[in-house]
Amino acid sequence: MENYYFVIGKKNLMVVEAVKLLIEHKLPFKCLEAPYIFTKDEEDELIAQGFVPYYVGVAYRDDSSYNTITDAFLYKLLTMLHKGMNDWLWAVLEYCCDNSRLGRNCGNIQDLIMGGGKRHEIERLQSENRKALGFDEQAELSAKQAIGKAMDNSPKHPEYLVVDWDFKAGDVSFEGFLPILDRVFWLQRFMNVVIFAKDCAFYFGYQVIAFKLMPIWSGSSFCFGQCGGALYAQGESHKALVAEVLAAETAKLKAEGLLW
């Protein structure tokens, strides 16, 4: 094993489990604070000390990959240490690695269910992953309350869901909304949800609907895969229009037999 010095940036459950191994085996590492920057001077200092820097989740430098299990940092670290894989670590890898055409996490959960995973086991993965990402009890409570309120105004098995979340999202990617999205997964036969947080709006579901919502949202918008979002808070008129378009476009997909 090379004389690695592990520089750890943004964490998810897989990275947290890897850090436990680093501690257990007394391997040198450093955990960075957001925005997870490691400078060239810091790198040069490590190299001068005889270390080989290994970056995980570090901005602009990353030796890790979530694309396949065998490329994942946790898997590579276990291989370096000649350690076997227990059921928990294997489940963590299956959950975190982006092996599904349906998108990371949501598609992977479906794969775990098809593989015989039980709901309580998967909910543990979801919960531990959110904890690793930095969501605290207040974020969890506010998400639970927001989902409850949205469901009170929806059918038992809603074909679309509009959630007002009293939370300032620090991350406008898919992972930044997991306290809501993880819970919605168990409520809908498919993911089709708009989330209005304090500082932004976010949609997860169908790309065709995401593209329809983009022109409505003010500020900087993005759309990739099944996700769309706006980086700035929306006015009440925008929110009402988004909900109206979501309902109409969902009805069209249902009529065409395209709701999966």
Side-chain angles (χ1 to χ4, degrees):
M1 182 173 176
E2 289 198 58
N3 192 28
Y4 286 123
Y5 190 103
F6 298 92
V7 184
I8 310 297
K10 183 178 180 180
K11 299 182 188 68
N12 64 0
L13 178 55
M14 182 167 58
V15 176
V16 165
E17 291 295 336
V19 169
K20 291 178 183 177
L21 289 171
L22 296 177
I23 294 170
E24 177 187 342
H25 291 269
K26 298 181 171 57
L27 296 175
F29 73 95
K30 177 179 183 178
C31 288
L32 306 178
E33 298 294 328
Y36 312 116
I37 300 290
F38 198 72
T39 67
K40 183 66 167 61
D41 287 344
E42 290 172 307
E43 181 182 69
D44 290 343
E45 185 178 338
L46 281 184
I47 293 171
Q49 294 173 22
F51 289 111
V52 177
Y54 191 114
Y55 299 104
V56 181
V58 177
Y60 312 115
R61 311 161 176 263
D62 202 334
D63 296 327
S64 65
S65 169
Y66 296 163
N67 291 329
T68 65
I69 285 175
T70 53
D71 286 337
F73 172 52
L74 176 58
Y75 186 95
K76 288 181 176 179
L77 183 58
L78 287 164
T79 302
M80 291 176 197
L81 296 170
H82 305 290
K83 286 184 69 74
M85 187 87 64
N86 61 35
D87 290 343
W88 169 250
L89 292 180
W90 189 254
V92 168
L93 283 165
E94 287 186 316
Y95 174 77
C96 290
C97 292
D98 194 6
N99 294 324
S100 172
R101 64 182 176 81
L102 296 173
R104 187 178 301 160
N105 290 101
C106 285
N108 291 5
I109 295 171
Q110 291 179 345
D111 291 342
L112 286 168
I113 292 171
M114 291 176 64
K118 303 294 188 293
R119 176 166 174 169
H120 73 274
E121 297 168 340
I122 295 167
E123 286 183 327
R124 180 189 172 197
L125 288 166
Q126 291 176 312
S127 176
E128 292 296 323
N129 186 53
R130 294 196 303 270
K131 199 178 299 180
L133 290 167
F135 292 107
D136 59 15
E137 289 184 13
Q138 183 55 42
E140 295 290 344
L141 178 60
S142 65
K144 186 176 180 179
Q145 291 172 338
I147 289 288
K149 186 175 180 181
M151 289 300 294
D152 286 344
N153 299 316
S154 302
K156 185 175 180 181
H157 299 290
E159 293 171 347
Y160 67 90
L161 205 58
V162 178
V163 180
D164 276 293
W165 189 22
D166 186 25
F167 183 76
K168 184 175 174 61
D171 179 354
V172 295
S173 72
F174 175 88
E175 289 184 330
F177 296 87
L178 284 180
I180 298 292
L181 295 172
D182 281 348
R183 289 174 166 88
V184 170
F185 177 85
W186 301 104
L187 299 173
Q188 290 184 298
R189 290 180 292 107
F190 38 78
M191 298 287 286
N192 187 26
V193 55
V194 163
I195 303 165
F196 292 111
K198 281 186 175 180
D199 53 344
C200 61
F202 186 85
Y203 170 76
F204 186 86
Y206 298 84
Q207 189 179 64
V208 64
I209 293 181
F211 279 122
K212 292 283 186 178
L213 295 177
M214 288 300 98
I216 303 170
W217 289 349
S218 60
S220 300
S221 298
F222 62 87
C223 182
F224 58 93
Q226 296 164 289
C227 302
L231 304 186
Y232 301 108
Q234 309 301 304
E236 289 302 316
S237 60
H238 282 116
K239 290 170 68 173
L241 184 54
V242 165
E244 183 181 317
V245 170
L246 176 62
E249 293 301 320
T250 299
K252 284 183 187 177
L253 289 180
K254 183 178 181 180
E256 295 166 3
L258 297 177
L259 290 183
W260 43 267

